Amino acid sequence: MNLQQDTSLAPTQIELPLPASASGEPFKEPAADGFILGGFTWRHAAQDIARPVVIINAATSVRCRHYSRFADYLFANGFDVITYDYRGIGESRPASLKNLDASWSDWGALDFEAMLKRAQREFPGQPIDVVGHSFGGCAAGLGASGHVIRRLVTVGAQFAYWRDYAPAHRWRMFGKWHVVMPLITMICGYFPGKRLGWLEDTPAGVVRDWATPTGRYETRPSGRAIAARAGALPFATMTAKTLAISITDDPYGTIEAIERLLRYFSGGTNTHLRIAPEDIGEAEVGHFAFFRSAYQATLWPIALSWLQNGDLPPDTPGRTVPRSESF
């Protein structure tokens, strides 16, 4: 579907060979509670207050290195970039996860918030944008400094309410993530996902949040805590212009799941773009493939254009979901 006819909105895009590993500069950053987070920075040599810096929020238990090629792409197209791992994951993993008290809300209110503070300190005066994958889109609304975010792009972003899973996969996914995962976590004290081939090892508090079968974030275990402490969830304080991208064969990112999260972002303007794999000549894309370099020419320019000018490029594949389809 042609969403734009004005070719003046076409994004400026640099095609580049992408390396196999992270090319950013490693850093350590303490969160407000003192927990040391690890990540990578892509920084241009000359500071420019007009140049945006993009923070990339990972999906649940996906290492930030998964997004390195996309970070290279943004850097080559004129952005400074920060990637990081939430506490308990990858560069931010302690020696043992058994005694780590970490939740989804910690990942947003403490870890993502630390990156917002770092961006303001390391790139003073520059616009701050965010890209959030899966839970990373939800985390973008949990930082107290969210009001500084200019533009937000989310991909398959939701907080895993089981009734929103695609019907064909719902019961298998419910059994895997809401029965088996919490049971194994109770036995081990954390979820040994890497050993099982199910994402990275994951702190028990994150598992509790994911597995709780409620349709409101504030009724998840850590959501209740943050709402009680602050009086309300911080989502609405964010005024960013948001593009939510969903893929039709993503069993997590159904229309219902994406819209459920978007309703929390009531302080800004939201656009929901839904793309079918056949729209870009593919048989499947799913939940994780968007950030693979195979989609540099087809999917990445959509996010790039939004970050560059807050609009969709001409001939954008897919369709925008009207508010009438929100439930």
Side-chain angles (χ1 to χ4, degrees), residues 1-304:
M1 177 180 177
N2 229 349
L3 295 179
Q4 303 288 342
Q5 299 299 326
D6 183 359
T7 57
S8 67
L9 294 179
T12 301
Q13 180 188 182
I14 297 173
E15 298 287 345
L16 72 161
L18 296 170
S21 61
S23 59
E25 176 186 349
F27 70 81
K28 296 293 183 182
E29 178 76 21
D33 63 347
F35 193 96
I36 303 299
L37 305 168
F40 300 90
T41 301
W42 284 250
R43 185 195 308 268
H44 287 83
Q47 184 181 358
D48 181 354
I49 62 170
R51 179 191 301 120
V53 54
V54 179
I55 302 171
I56 300 179
N57 285 351
T60 296
S61 301
V62 175
R63 297 187 66 165
C64 69
R65 290 177 180 270
H66 175 70
Y67 306 92
S68 294
R69 295 187 177 204
F70 185 69
D72 281 321
Y73 171 81
L74 294 180
F75 180 76
N77 280 283
F79 294 85
D80 294 316
V81 187
I82 294 172
T83 69
Y84 70 103
D85 281 312
Y86 307 119
R87 62 187 63 200
I89 308 298
E91 308 299 318
S92 304
R93 176 172 178 151
S96 173
L97 292 186
K98 287 187 177 181
N99 297 315
L100 178 63
D101 182 17
S103 67
W104 264 349
S105 293
D106 292 329
W107 284 1
L110 294 174
D111 300 352
F112 173 60
E113 174 67 12
M115 295 306 119
L116 286 174
K117 296 292 189 185
R118 179 178 179 83
Q120 292 175 82
R121 185 184 72 246
E122 295 291 315
F123 302 94
Q126 294 179 220
I128 298 175
D129 297 334
V130 176
V131 173
H133 181 205
S134 194
F135 173 75
C138 184
L142 294 172
S145 300
H147 59 277
V148 305
I149 302 171
R150 182 188 64 158
R151 293 172 188 152
L152 169 65
V153 175
T154 70
V155 178
Q158 33 65 47
F159 53 91
Y161 178 45
W162 71 276
R163 290 185 183 275
D164 292 339
Y165 295 155
H169 305 274
R170 183 174 298 151
W171 292 110
R172 178 184 60 81
M173 293 170 67
F174 183 87
K176 180 176 182 178
W177 300 118
H178 300 267
V179 177
V180 175
M181 181 172 66
L183 284 175
I184 293 176
T185 301
M186 288 178 61
I187 295 169
C188 298
Y190 70 100
F191 180 62
K194 193 168 185 177
R195 193 182 319 162
L196 297 171
W198 297 7
L199 308 177
E200 293 290 314
D201 296 345
T202 305
V206 170
V207 172
R208 284 193 297 273
D209 281 331
W210 185 341
T212 299
T214 62
R216 299 287 299 176
Y217 188 80
E218 60 268 31
T219 60
R220 300 295 171 101
S222 72
R224 289 195 299 269
I226 193 174
R229 183 168 62 249
L233 296 176
F235 288 94
T237 64
M238 198 180 75
T239 59
K241 192 172 184 180
T242 297
L243 173 65
I245 300 172
S246 66
I247 310 295
T248 59
D249 70 332
D250 175 0
Y252 301 92
T254 60
I255 290 177
E256 294 79 8
I258 304 302
E259 292 292 326
R260 186 178 299 279
L261 177 59
L262 279 180
R263 287 203 303 275
Y264 282 95
F265 292 102
S266 58
T269 58
N270 304 322
T271 299
H272 180 179
L273 176 66
R274 190 150 180 85
I275 303 170
E278 53 266 29
D279 293 336
I280 58 170
E282 298 287 345
E284 59 183 7
V285 177
H287 189 61
F288 292 101
F290 183 98
F291 295 96
R292 295 174 184 164
S293 57
Y295 299 102
Q296 179 185 349
T298 53
L299 293 177
W300 292 5
I302 301 169
L304 176 65

